[in-house]
Amino acid sequence: MMHPALQPCMGLLILWLLCEQSQAELPICKESDYHFEYTECDMLGARWRVAVPNKQDTCTGLPDPVKGTQCTFSCNEGEFLDMRSQECHKCTPGTYSLGTGVAFDEWDSLPHGFVTLHHNTFDVTNFRLGPQKVNTLPLTRDECTATLSYAVNLKKPGVLTFEYLYPDNNVYFEFFVQNDQCQSTESDSRYMKVSENDWKKHQVELNKGNNVLYWRTTGYSFNSDIKPVLLKNIGISGVAYTSECFLCKPGTYSAKPGAARCSSCPADTFSTKGATVCHPCLNNTFAGRSWTCKPRPACTTSNYFYTHTPCDAEGKTQLMYKWIEPKICSETVEGAVQLPASGHKQTCPPCNPGFYVTNSTTCEPCQQGFYSNGTVCEKCPAGTEPLVGYEYKWWNTMPRNVKSFIFSSDLSDPERSTAWEVAGEYIYTTPGGDDTNLLILTLNVPGYRLPQSVSKSSEISELARITFVFETKCTADCTFFFQAVYSQWSSETVEQWKGTNNKQSYSYVIQGNNTTNFKWAFRRTEKSSRERKYSSDFAKIYSIHITNVIGGVASQCRHCPLVASQTSSGCVPCPPGHYMVSETGVCKSCSLNTIIRAEQPVGQAACVPCGPNTKRNKDFSACLSDCHFNIQSQWGLLHYHFSPLSNVTGFHSNVRFTTKGLRYFQYFNLGLCGTELGISGRVPATCVDNVTESGKKEVKGYICQSTVVPSGIRGQTVVSSQPVIIGDTLVGVTTQTSLNTISSPAHLFPSTSTLPDVIFYYRSSDKTQACKQGRAATVRMRCNPTVSAKDQITTPRNCSEGTCDGCTFHFLWESQNACPLCTKNHYKEIVSACVQGIQKTTFVWQQPLRCFGGEPLPEQLISACVTLDFWLKFGVSTGTVAALLLISISCYFWKRTRKLEYKYSKLMMSSGGKECELPAPDSCAIMEGEDAEDDYIDLTKKSLFTKIKSFRTERTVDGFDSVPLKSSLLKQEEDSDDD
């Protein structure tokens, strides 16, 4: 047996023998079995060239590593690096090379190195690739975030270039670069600008080292599908070298060695992949975008169109027929139609309103202050002003500011053929081209300005208006678009119509000078097709009219409703609050609390009364509320003061979800009331479309609405879009549930309070197909003293977005500031008992409380008081004093009576007993020499009992008291002495 220590060694030996045997059985590697690569550069900038097998364990005998070129080595454009000789060679004809870069211009499949990521739980489709978008990469079409990334290592600083088509501003499209540590590089152009009709080229500088490129789109839509973002022709420089040249695409060629780009083939020629020359098509064949020649079909009426020549000196125009270019049909094939004969003369249509016919039969605009119906210019009469704008109703030639072109996402040349042609009474879409192409008509406007007689007040929400009459006829799923372009990079589809539409009119209110371009686009079908199946489908526009255009012409004059701010307007000035009578030109005053119409329609009054509890502004152009409201109720006169709620307040509806799970809600801004004077000046509510950084759309009024989507893109918490005005005019303020055809049903917001709600009524002049009378809104102000926050605004329970019919919006605002101001009628007083000489009076609110602010609750009153014991003591003391006083008075008068009796008795005795005789006058008084003591009766020396007894005995028989007199006593003594 083998020693245990030798067993591992024998195992290794056997394994080595097996490996040698297996390598000996493998064939020697050929040049096609391997390729060369460079190792990473070392600190000195050196590297090695090594051979790498294409497949493992297929061959043996690879070349040994050799020293490679310096890391700074690179090849020029049109060259490639031959790794075997490590030298640059020119590309052969039929191929091209960027030299120090790579290019990606074919997207039949996702190129190697690109990675896609699609964040959407409802649709796992990543990027849609295929022949329907040749040479382009369409990004997301859904409500999701899609990301395309590509990692590249640059040996030196380079440049990235790519072309994109960004047609929908309901999509965020951003491009950014990260290094190998996932740190984004600084870039001012991270967010792409909307480019609906033309391919835009974007260029970014790249740093040396690892770079990860990201294209990311985030889409959202509520009404229609999202238009995808398209990419093509991605090129990256700075990779130091390319080891191969790329074949030219079909339809292109390179005839000489060392080509950096391939050239396109001329018309009616074709080429295959890697072509060095283009081959002409044979007779009755043509080269389409399939890069092969196909037989020409027989010409039909859909292959030509008609137009008119300018008017000649005789006032005639010629009817001309032309083939649609590029011509693909044949007139010699059996059944083909021939091009109708041209040259038939017709009478030229008149000039458009505001123009006149010159001697050369051309139409020229009238001068400022003149108007015309299309024949002769006339000066506006005194007291009127010209209504300037653009009005196109005759189409002999295309106006200077109107352009048309065909746009196809597969071609970069938009001027290849005509899209709209003039036809006298209308313009129409020409047949031909792909049915999926957009036939675009553009109208450029320099700007808008209100007539000088119209107030410049911020209450005017309509700066201008565009109205057009159109018609469509379709056999397929055609679509007619109308777009408002806010800037070079931003536009919005205002309205779209599908299928056949009878002749009709549409109006759009222009609210800012940023809307200076309009577009009409017609697409016959959305289904991709290489054939012209629906060329007979068309769209017609009969007339276009835009008001208040700067530098426009006037088709009529109107009487001035207000004072002209400048005399050059041609208006006869009237005092404020007056309007000019159209028949006489006399200024007439409007009645109290009325405003003047900006435009006075025929048969309607010039003055419009303001609604309840509103007052006209100083310009007589709008009715406003000063945030005060009075109402007579069972509690007396109630006064409301809504000024604390007059600032613009924002609120939103409940969160909702689209069918694909996108979360969104409706956001509202509300400016309740206020005037243009004082500290309560009204600031209009504003809603903004912030989808793109440039060309933001703003709408202003009392109430506006926008759709908000929560998002973390570009550091924003929400994305606001589709702003609309709900109310730009205050109709009135009342407690009634209806006002001027606007209704606010009480059942939408049930209430148990006996205090009525104060309702603000608003109306918007912005009319749509769904809301032909415009939108309206009601705001119920409900008293709730427990709500301290001023922004507690709710929508009806059954209509979470604020509206049940899409036209009339209802809101409930509960707040303590919506309560009437407190008065003395809202509190009562409670008087306490008298305790220790103190009595308290307390004031409390009557419950339930139905007021806030106003007169404050009085403080507690404290007053002195007297108890019952005090009044008892006071009564006893007063009674005692009164009794003593009564006794004293009785005694006094009794004594006085005694004296009088004494004097009377003395008087009687002095009369001598003779009746009817009176004593001498001097007997009734103390004469001179008499002693006063004679009249004194000494009674004090007798006891009370003795006095009473003597008093009784002294009365005589005749009833008189006997009064002893001193004189009688003396006389008696004298008589006794005589005896």
Side-chain angles (χ1 to χ4, degrees):
M1 294 182 62
M2 185 178 298
H3 193 276
L6 298 178
Q7 291 181 359
C9 296
M10 291 299 298
L12 295 175
L13 180 61
I14 294 174
L15 181 61
W16 178 78
L17 292 174
L18 292 175
C19 292
E20 288 294 330
Q21 183 178 1
S22 61
Q23 290 182 0
E25 295 176 357
L26 294 177
I28 300 299
C29 291
K30 303 177 184 177
E31 292 184 1
S32 59
D33 294 332
Y34 61 90
H35 63 278
F36 293 106
E37 292 184 2
Y38 281 122
T39 62
E40 294 292 335
C41 297
D42 56 21
M43 298 180 61
L44 300 178
R47 56 187 174 181
W48 291 80
R49 189 201 69 178
V50 296
V52 179
N54 297 330
K55 294 182 179 180
Q56 295 292 332
D57 301 331
T58 56
C59 63
T60 185
L62 294 173
D64 295 332
V66 298
K67 190 174 181 180
T69 59
Q70 292 293 321
C71 291
T72 57
F73 176 82
S74 62
C75 294
N76 298 323
E77 290 184 346
E79 297 179 344
F80 72 99
L81 179 64
D82 185 359
M83 294 293 290
R84 184 170 297 277
S85 62
Q86 298 192 63
E87 294 179 353
C88 294
H89 297 283
K90 290 185 177 181
C91 293
T92 59
T95 63
Y96 72 97
S97 169
L98 298 177
T100 60
V102 292
F104 304 95
D105 50 11
E106 295 187 21
W107 302 95
D108 295 333
S109 61
L110 197 64
H112 177 72
F114 282 88
V115 179
T116 63
L117 181 62
H118 196 279
H119 302 284
N120 189 0
T121 57
F122 300 93
D123 185 0
V124 296
T125 305
N126 288 336
F127 292 90
R128 293 171 172 80
L129 303 173
Q132 74 273 17
K133 296 293 181 185
V134 179
N135 297 333
T136 62
L137 175 65
L139 302 187
T140 180
R141 291 177 184 264
D142 301 314
E143 301 164 359
C144 63
T145 297
T147 304
L148 174 71
S149 63
Y150 180 75
V152 61
N153 185 280
L154 301 185
K155 304 302 179 182
K156 60 180 180 179
V159 176
L160 164 73
T161 58
F162 63 89
E163 296 180 56
Y164 70 91
L165 183 67
Y166 182 10
D168 197 338
N169 59 2
N170 286 329
V171 177
Y172 274 120
F173 178 35
E174 57 182 331
F175 171 78
F176 58 95
V177 182
Q178 290 184 350
N179 56 23
D180 52 2
Q181 297 180 355
C182 297
Q183 296 176 344
S184 298
T185 57
E186 297 294 334
S187 176
D188 296 333
S189 57
R190 173 169 180 165
Y191 302 99
M192 302 294 102
K193 298 178 180 179
V194 174
S195 173
E196 183 171 282
N197 302 323
D198 299 319
W199 287 94
K200 297 296 181 182
K201 189 173 183 180
H202 189 68
Q203 180 173 307
V204 178
E205 295 183 358
L206 303 178
N207 299 324
K208 178 181 178 181
N210 291 325
N211 292 267
V212 183
L213 316 178
Y214 288 95
W215 293 266
R216 184 165 65 185
T217 60
T218 301
Y220 56 92
S221 177
F222 307 101
N223 300 320
S224 60
D225 293 336
I226 295 175
K227 299 177 184 178
V229 175
L230 303 181
L231 295 178
K232 70 175 184 179
N233 296 337
I234 300 177
I236 306 173
S237 64
V239 296
Y241 70 92
T242 178
S243 58
E244 60 178 341
C245 295
F246 301 96
L247 296 175
C248 292
K249 297 182 300 181
T252 63
Y253 72 101
S254 63
K256 298 180 180 180
R261 295 285 181 183
C262 296
S263 303
S264 299
C265 290
D268 290 335
T269 62
F270 73 98
S271 68
T272 58
K273 193 172 186 178
T276 58
V277 294
C278 295
H279 304 282
C281 292
L282 301 177
N283 293 334
N284 288 330
T285 61
F286 72 101
R289 273 170 286 169
S290 58
W291 302 292
T292 58
C293 293
K294 298 187 299 183
R296 295 181 180 270
C299 290
T300 65
T301 56
S302 300
N303 294 113
Y304 65 84
F305 64 96
Y306 62 93
T307 184
H308 291 78
T309 61
C311 294
D312 56 18
E314 300 176 354
K316 300 290 185 179
T317 179
Q318 294 184 3
L319 183 64
M320 307 297 293
Y321 292 92
K322 298 180 181 180
W323 293 111
I324 297 173
E325 297 296 338
K327 182 182 177 183
I328 62 173
C329 66
S330 174
E331 303 174 64
T332 59
V333 178
E334 183 179 356
V337 298
Q338 302 298 317
L339 188 69
S342 300
H344 176 69
K345 289 190 175 184
Q346 298 177 347
T347 302
C348 285
C351 295
N352 283 311
F355 290 80
Y356 70 100
V357 181
T358 63
N359 296 331
S360 60
T361 68
T362 59
C363 295
E364 294 293 333
C366 295
Q367 299 179 3
Q368 184 179 3
F370 289 77
Y371 73 100
S372 168
N373 60 357
T375 54
V376 180
C377 295
E378 297 181 3
K379 187 175 180 60
C380 290
T384 63
E385 63 177 343
L387 292 177
V388 297
Y390 290 153
E391 186 174 1
Y392 304 119
K393 54 188 301 185
W394 301 106
W395 303 93
N396 181 55
T397 58
M398 195 71 75
R400 298 185 183 96
N401 58 338
V402 179
K403 305 293 182 181
S404 73
F405 59 90
I406 293 179
F407 173 75
S408 172
S409 59
D410 298 332
L411 296 176
S412 59
D413 183 12
E415 303 293 342
R416 66 184 184 88
S417 119
T418 305
W420 293 73
E421 275 293 341
V422 296
E425 296 182 353
Y426 55 84
I427 54 174
Y428 72 103
T429 54
T430 59
D434 282 355
D435 293 335
T436 57
N437 290 346
L438 285 174
L439 308 179
I440 298 176
L441 181 74
T442 64
L443 171 63
N444 182 39
V445 180
Y448 314 94
R449 182 173 54 232
L450 290 171
Q452 297 178 5
S453 63
V454 177
S455 169
K456 305 301 186 293
S457 172
S458 60
E459 299 299 326
I460 300 177
S461 60
E462 180 177 326
L463 180 61
R465 180 184 293 266
I466 180 172
T467 304
F468 59 92
V469 179
F470 71 97
E471 176 188 8
T472 61
K473 182 179 179 182
C474 303
T475 57
D477 55 333
C478 70
T479 308
F480 182 57
F481 302 91
F482 171 61
Q483 291 184 334
V485 183
Y486 304 115
S487 67
Q488 183 181 2
W489 311 109
S490 176
S491 63
E492 176 191 8
T493 300
V494 177
E495 200 71 64
Q496 61 181 12
W497 298 265
K498 293 183 178 295
T500 299
N501 293 271
N502 296 327
K503 188 176 180 180
Q504 58 184 280
S505 175
Y506 179 80
S507 294
Y508 173 72
V509 176
I510 303 168
Q511 297 176 334
N513 263 311
N514 57 340
T515 311
T516 57
N517 287 275
F518 300 94
K519 290 183 180 180
W520 294 264
F522 181 71
R523 182 172 56 200
R524 293 184 169 91
T525 182
E526 295 183 358
K527 300 177 182 179
S528 177
S529 175
R530 297 296 179 184
E531 301 179 3
R532 300 173 181 175
K533 295 182 179 180
Y534 309 110
S535 296
S536 59
D537 296 353
F538 64 84
K540 293 181 180 179
I541 296 180
Y542 291 89
S543 63
I544 302 176
H545 183 203
I546 309 179
T547 62
N548 301 337
V549 177
I550 297 176
V553 295
S555 60
Q556 58 181 332
C557 299
R558 73 168 179 189
H559 293 278
C560 306
L562 295 176
V563 177
S565 59
Q566 299 179 12
T567 57
S568 60
S569 65
C571 293
V572 177
C574 287
H578 292 67
Y579 68 97
M580 185 169 291
V581 180
S582 58
E583 294 81 5
T584 61
V586 178
C587 294
K588 186 176 180 180
S589 174
C590 286
S591 58
L592 184 63
N593 203 29
T594 59
I595 61 175
I596 301 176
R597 293 179 186 268
E599 295 184 5
Q600 182 179 354
V602 178
Q604 296 188 19
C607 302
V608 181
C610 289
N613 296 290
T614 61
K615 298 179 180 179
R616 65 186 180 189
N617 62 354
K618 64 180 181 179
D619 295 324
F620 299 87
S621 60
C623 297
L624 307 176
S625 170
D626 59 358
C627 301
H628 293 266
F629 180 77
N630 296 327
I631 181 177
Q632 190 69 34
S633 68
Q634 58 182 346
W635 300 281
L637 183 63
L638 300 180
H639 180 67
Y640 292 82
H641 196 350
F642 298 112
S643 295
L645 306 178
S646 61
N647 294 330
V648 177
T649 303
F651 60 98
H652 59 80
S653 64
N654 296 331
V655 176
R656 299 179 66 87
F657 295 87
T658 63
T659 57
K660 296 186 178 182
L662 177 66
R663 185 164 63 100
Y664 74 97
F665 55 85
Q666 302 296 338
Y667 188 81
F668 302 91
N669 270 337
L670 168 61
L672 185 67
C673 55
T675 62
E676 73 272 25
L677 299 176
I679 60 175
S680 60
R682 190 179 75 82
V683 178
T686 305
C687 294
V688 184
D689 183 352
N690 65 354
V691 172
T692 56
E693 290 188 343
S694 59
K696 293 183 178 180
K697 176 185 177 183
E698 290 187 354
V699 294
K700 296 182 179 181
Y702 280 97
I703 307 177
C704 61
Q705 175 198 30
S706 59
T707 302
V708 173
V709 179
S711 173
I713 299 178
R714 69 168 77 164
Q716 296 184 127
T717 57
V718 294
V719 175
S720 175
S721 65
Q722 302 174 358
V724 295
I725 284 292
I726 297 176
D728 54 17
T729 302
L730 178 61
V731 179
V733 185
T734 179
T735 58
Q736 303 297 322
T737 57
S738 63
L739 180 64
N740 290 357
T741 70
I742 306 175
S743 178
S744 177
H747 65 82
L748 294 178
F749 303 103
S751 174
T752 58
S753 175
T754 57
L755 190 66
D757 297 333
V758 179
I759 307 175
F760 284 74
Y761 290 88
Y762 305 92
R763 188 182 295 279
S764 172
S765 58
D766 189 7
K767 299 179 182 179
T768 62
Q769 281 188 321
C771 305
K772 299 186 181 299
Q773 302 299 324
R775 298 182 178 90
T778 65
V779 180
R780 280 181 171 264
M781 308 302 298
R782 179 167 296 174
C783 173
N784 191 343
T786 62
V787 178
S788 59
K790 67 177 182 179
D791 55 354
Q792 185 168 335
I793 306 177
T794 57
T795 55
R797 180 174 299 179
N798 298 332
C799 309
S800 59
E801 293 189 358
T803 178
C804 300
D805 58 2
C807 297
T808 304
F809 292 76
H810 305 279
F811 307 101
L812 174 64
W813 194 339
E814 295 184 85
S815 173
Q816 59 186 7
N817 291 303
C819 298
L821 299 180
C822 294
T823 62
K824 293 182 179 181
N825 298 329
H826 290 94
Y827 62 82
K828 59 183 178 179
E829 61 180 23
I830 299 176
V831 182
S832 66
C834 184
V835 179
Q836 297 180 354
I838 297 177
Q839 191 174 43
K840 298 181 180 179
T841 303
T842 305
F843 300 90
V844 295
W845 295 113
Q846 295 184 3
Q847 297 299 328
L849 183 62
R850 297 185 179 91
C851 68
F852 178 76
E855 185 173 339
L857 194 67
E859 297 181 356
Q860 188 182 56
L861 300 179
I862 300 176
S863 60
C865 61
V866 181
T867 60
L868 181 61
D869 294 341
F870 171 79
W871 289 111
L872 181 59
K873 294 178 181 179
F874 177 77
V876 173
S877 301
T878 304
T880 304
V881 174
L884 295 175
L885 182 61
L886 183 60
I887 294 172
S888 301
I889 293 174
S890 300
C891 294
Y892 171 75
F893 282 105
W894 177 79
K895 188 175 181 180
R896 292 285 296 177
T897 304
R898 294 292 294 172
K899 277 187 163 186
L900 290 176
E901 288 179 355
Y902 169 75
K903 290 182 179 182
Y904 178 73
S905 299
K906 185 177 179 181
L907 180 63
M908 291 300 295
M909 291 176 65
S910 64
S911 65
K914 296 178 182 181
E915 297 181 0
C916 300
E917 288 185 6
L918 293 175
D922 57 353
S923 62
C924 293
I926 300 175
M927 301 302 291
E928 185 178 356
E930 292 185 348
D931 188 3
E933 295 294 334
D934 295 341
D935 296 333
Y936 177 73
I937 301 177
D938 188 8
L939 297 177
T940 59
K941 295 182 178 180
K942 298 179 181 181
S943 63
L944 180 62
F945 178 74
T946 305
K947 291 179 179 180
I948 295 174
K949 185 178 179 181
S950 63
F951 176 75
R952 293 184 61 187
T953 57
E954 288 178 353
R955 185 174 297 273
T956 60
V957 179
D958 58 4
F960 293 96
D961 293 336
S962 177
V963 181
L965 297 176
K966 182 177 179 182
S967 60
S968 62
L969 291 175
L970 293 174
K971 186 176 181 181
Q972 290 179 3
E973 290 180 358
E974 292 178 354
D975 290 341
S976 61
D977 290 342
D978 291 339
D979 293 341

